[in-house]
Amino acid sequence: MNLVDFDLQVGGRGQVERDLRARSSPTAPGGRRPPSAVDFVRSRFGRLFALALFAGGTLGLGAEPRPAEAYRSLTDDGGWCWFADPRAITRGGRTYAGWITADGSVQVGMLEAASGKVSVATLHEKYQRDDHDVPALFFLNDGRLLALYSKHGGPDMNARVTTRPGDITAWEPERVLDLFGGPRPRRSITYPNPVRLTAEANAIYLFWRGDAIKPTFSRSTDDGLTWSPARELVARRENAERNRPYVKIASNGRDRIHIAFTDGHPNIEPTNGLYYLCYRAGALSSAAGHRIGGLEQTPLQPSQAERVYDGQAGGRAWVWDVAADAQDRPVIVYVRIPDTGDHRYRYARWDGARWQDHEICAGGKWFPQTPPGVTEREPFYSGGLVLDHTDPSVVYLSRPVNGVREIERWTTADGGRTWRNEPITRGSAHDNVRPFVVRREGPGGPTVLWMNLRDHYTHFTDYLGAIKMDSP
């Protein structure tokens, strides 16, 4: 291995390409270009540094990467999409995760950190063959686990609750949440996202894609027993019947909810952009705190929200995650797709004055395994990326390495301007996609879970994969 090859492994091919472009573009005073990563590696000190890192393993950041097949599975029959969250949570030394089996059954698994034991419960057998139906998991005030799930396109939001905290062997009967308070012209919902705000007397806010395929929300003040009538959050007037914004939700758990969304689906919107809203104390505002409107004024037009990225600038966008840093400033990861064969992972961060938006790396093309002679139906399905919500300077992502999609941990120390990466998987036999960082309420258990396509994924209704974890 030569040192430039080593640099490709350490910094990523996208970083090296940017450095090489910089070498031919004099930007420093006097026409001198700034030193690049390649220059550093070729320097005497850089060579010693690189060799020391290489001799010490994977950047000294963690365990040696392994093929995905060498990691433990929570299940060898599970899949999920990325718009129902949280898909995995940890409390009391137990990690809980949800998925949809190949035959469409809704399941929840539990890993006990101390013993390594995994148990699995089926909440609804053969519910629907569709990975959009993955349950979102949530702890009630008494510690019991709530699972929320719906079929892709409804008709209802279903819920089940464990009978005891820390135990998934027994559940209350399945029920339908009354989220509407009256007759509905349509019955078509998807993607539950619950969050709690302790500053509002422990109220739960539930977000989902509503009957009119628009982001919708409801509020519960009695720990999920009853709900306020649903309200649309965002709804564009133009092409309203087909327009469906996609939303990601995060909360500080106290008084704020961070909301990132797109104009719609990139299959439909040729200039799909990215927007941000912050909810606090009954009002929606920009990242800087400028009031946009009260909840009673919803639905908002996307143009009323804060635009983070204009889809006319560099390709259609699709949002993947939102979180907040230690100062409660929002961070968003998303994908720009100038061409369906070229998905670009991006990192947008509010620095207190403006949005800083940087590329992380190239993510390859779509990941579904298109049958020969067939036009791919979901060319905007990226391998995926996700933030660590405890430290959003850390991103886990899926990208092609030697022809197979691998899971990597990328970190930035300067707000996204530069990155270094650490492989989690390497030399895998099958693609690894859609990583998710476990939402933690205590120590123990895995950090990241992902889908390993051990058999196939040709469509969101036709797949057979495993849910892997980075625990031993």
Side-chain angles (χ1 to χ4, degrees), residues 121-379:
T122 299
L123 306 191
H124 193 126
E125 190 173 0
K126 296 182 179 179
Y127 186 62
Q128 184 187 43
R129 289 183 59 193
D130 195 310
D131 67 15
H132 292 63
D133 304 352
V134 58
L137 304 180
F138 187 79
F139 290 118
L140 298 178
N141 282 326
D142 61 9
R144 291 181 300 153
L145 184 68
L146 167 67
L148 298 166
Y149 49 97
S150 74
K151 293 182 178 178
H152 188 184
D156 296 303
M157 186 70 70
N158 294 117
R160 292 196 72 177
V161 179
T162 57
T163 59
R164 296 178 296 276
D167 180 7
I168 66 167
T169 62
W171 297 74
E172 294 181 354
E174 182 179 81
R175 65 189 179 100
V176 173
L177 298 190
D178 181 7
L179 299 170
F180 301 92
R184 297 160 59 189
R186 295 174 57 179
R187 295 170 68 85
S188 176
I189 63 177
T190 315
Y191 304 137
N193 285 261
V195 294
R196 188 189 297 281
L197 295 184
T198 57
E200 295 189 15
N202 281 326
I204 302 172
Y205 283 82
L206 176 61
F207 296 82
W208 70 95
R209 188 167 77 188
D211 282 346
I213 59 173
K214 304 295 185 289
T216 305
F217 67 95
S218 182
R219 183 173 184 263
S220 174
T221 57
D222 55 12
D223 218 24
L225 294 177
T226 61
W227 297 86
S228 64
R231 293 187 66 95
E232 290 183 357
L233 178 68
V234 177
R236 201 179 71 187
R237 298 188 186 97
E238 302 85 3
N239 195 22
E241 185 66 23
R242 299 188 68 212
N243 175 247
R244 52 181 193 268
Y246 282 77
V247 171
K248 296 296 290 189
I249 301 293
S251 171
N252 64 8
R254 300 183 305 275
D255 61 351
R256 292 188 187 184
I257 302 173
H258 299 281
I259 304 165
F261 67 95
T262 60
D263 288 295
H265 194 300
N267 251 336
I268 297 172
E269 309 294 339
T271 57
N272 212 35
L274 179 69
Y275 303 84
Y276 172 79
L277 289 168
C278 180
Y279 166 79
R280 187 177 185 182
L284 295 163
S285 66
S286 68
H290 302 304
R291 182 184 171 93
I292 296 172
L295 286 186
E296 72 281 356
Q297 296 172 283
T298 54
L300 300 179
Q301 291 283 306
S303 59
Q304 294 177 264
E306 182 172 19
R307 179 178 284 170
V308 178
Y309 165 68
D310 186 342
Q312 299 185 71
R316 312 175 200 211
W318 217 353
V319 64
W320 271 84
D321 201 13
V322 61
D325 64 16
Q327 297 173 286
D328 217 1
R329 294 173 177 173
V331 178
I332 302 171
V333 287
Y334 71 103
V335 181
R336 287 189 195 176
I337 309 172
D339 180 86
T340 55
D342 183 19
H343 295 209
R344 296 277 164 168
Y345 294 151
R346 305 286 301 191
Y347 184 89
R349 171 180 167 269
W350 176 255
D351 67 3
R354 62 185 57 83
W355 285 96
Q356 303 287 348
D357 191 339
H358 302 282
E359 181 173 309
I360 304 172
C361 67
K365 67 170 192 174
W366 68 82
F367 84 83
Q369 298 152 338
T370 314
V374 174
T375 299
E376 176 54 46
R377 289 177 284 179
E378 300 294 346

Side-chain angles (χ1 to χ4, degrees), residues 13-33:
R13 184 171 298 275
Q15 180 64 51
V16 172
E17 289 172 348
R18 287 192 291 272
D19 291 333
L20 292 174
R21 285 196 297 268
R23 296 181 70 189
S24 61
S25 302
T27 55
R32 298 179 60 190
R33 59 174 175 81

Side-chain angles (χ1 to χ4, degrees), residues 389-405:
H389 284 220
T390 64
D391 180 4
S393 68
V394 178
V395 175
Y396 289 83
L397 58 81
S398 162
R399 72 181 182 107
V401 178
N402 298 324
V404 177
R405 295 178 188 275

